[in-house]
Amino acid sequence: MGMRMGGTGVGQTGSGRTGVDPASLALLRSYWHELRLRAGGELPRRGDIDPRRVEEALTCAFLAERIAPGMARFRLAGMHLADLMGIDVRGVPISTLFDVDSRERLASVVARVLTGPGVGEIWLESPASLGRAALTGRLLLLPLRPEESQPLIFGCLVTDGAIGRAPRRLTILRSAVDMVDAQPAERPGPRLRLPDFGAAGLEPPPPPPRAAPGRKHLRLVKG
């Protein structure tokens, strides 16, 4: 994914900057699943990602790498994330976007996404304050195959509402991580076909005879 993740986006300049289309989440998730299918069930590689396939989502997309258990920093990021923080976020930990009380929960989600692996989704808000309107958003975290043993995340952050004065700090409302199987699925073996007695006009074989109740089934024979 060797490109600058800016994109045209739908944001606006100035204090009235708005969020991005939430359809970007579905676009990235669908493309990630497509790449997994091509890889036979394995996690996609960074090099598998074609930016042209997700061009509409580039302004809110990012690539992050793990720097410690539960911690990751941005390697590439779209302009929407820069708008939220007021700076270029490349090299900045993801946790910087969050308020202090949400960072431990974020670390738990990031750890599960990378070690599960799993697909993580986080529902967010940024309360109104001086010079800032209330903001809501969602964060999608998709695991990639490690690069030089370094776990990677392909993600997307969308928000709804005017960004206002940066930086905005995000609060986690709820989160979910769906575990995925990162190994190719085994091919099923040949199935044993049983005769369809009804289709052949035959009756199924009767069950083996059962002894009448109350009768002895074993007898002691003396020599």
Side-chain angles (χ1 to χ4, degrees), residues 22 27 32 62 80 93 98 104 115 119 122 126 128 143 154 162 172 191 194 201 208 210 216:
L27 175 61
W32 180 84
F62 63 85
H80 180 60
F98 291 78
E104 184 175 346
T115 61
V119 173
I122 302 177
S126 181
F154 184 39
I172 296 179
R191 297 180 60 185
L194 298 177
R210 300 179 61 184
K216 297 181 178 179

Side-chain angles (χ1 to χ4, degrees), residues 12-26:
Q12 302 173 350
T13 59
S15 61
R17 292 189 302 265
T18 59
V20 291
D21 189 349
S24 299
L25 294 169

Side-chain angles (χ1 to χ4, degrees), residues 40-214:
E42 290 281 3
L43 294 179
R45 294 186 178 92
R46 174 192 176 187
D48 295 334
I49 299 172
D50 182 356
R52 294 169 297 182
R53 294 292 308 278
V54 290
E55 186 174 1
E56 297 86 352
L58 289 182
T59 189
C60 59
F62 63 85
L63 179 73
E65 62 183 356
R66 189 179 70 177
I67 54 177
M71 294 187 64
R73 66 183 173 193
F74 296 110
R75 286 177 57 170
L76 294 170
M79 292 304 299
H80 180 60
L81 285 85
D83 288 343
L84 287 168
M85 289 299 297
I87 60 171
D88 184 350
V89 299
R90 288 177 294 181
V92 173
I94 297 178
S95 58
T96 306
L97 277 71
F98 291 78
D99 61 32
V100 175
D101 293 337
S102 294
R103 291 178 183 178
E104 184 175 346
R105 188 170 179 182
L106 172 68
S108 175
V109 173
V110 170
R112 293 172 64 195
V113 167
L114 292 176
T115 61
V119 173
E121 193 159 1
I122 302 177
W123 287 257
L124 308 162
E125 73 170 0
S126 181
S129 61
L130 182 62
R132 302 180 180 99
L135 197 67
T136 59
R138 283 167 66 184
L139 173 65
L140 177 66
L141 303 171
L142 303 164
L144 297 179
R145 204 177 307 182
E147 184 178 89
E148 298 178 355
S149 74
Q150 191 72 1
L152 300 174
I153 292 176
F154 184 39
C156 181
L157 172 61
V158 301
T159 59
D160 181 26
I163 294 176
R165 187 162 52 91
R168 297 302 299 258
R169 296 286 187 243
L170 304 172
T171 298
I172 296 179
L173 299 176
R174 62 188 178 99
S175 61
V177 179
D178 295 327
M179 295 296 114
V180 298
D181 180 6
Q183 300 298 325
E186 294 183 2
R187 293 186 177 182
R191 297 180 60 185
L192 178 64
R193 294 181 59 87
L194 298 177
D196 186 348
F197 295 102
L202 303 174
E203 293 293 331
R210 300 179 61 184

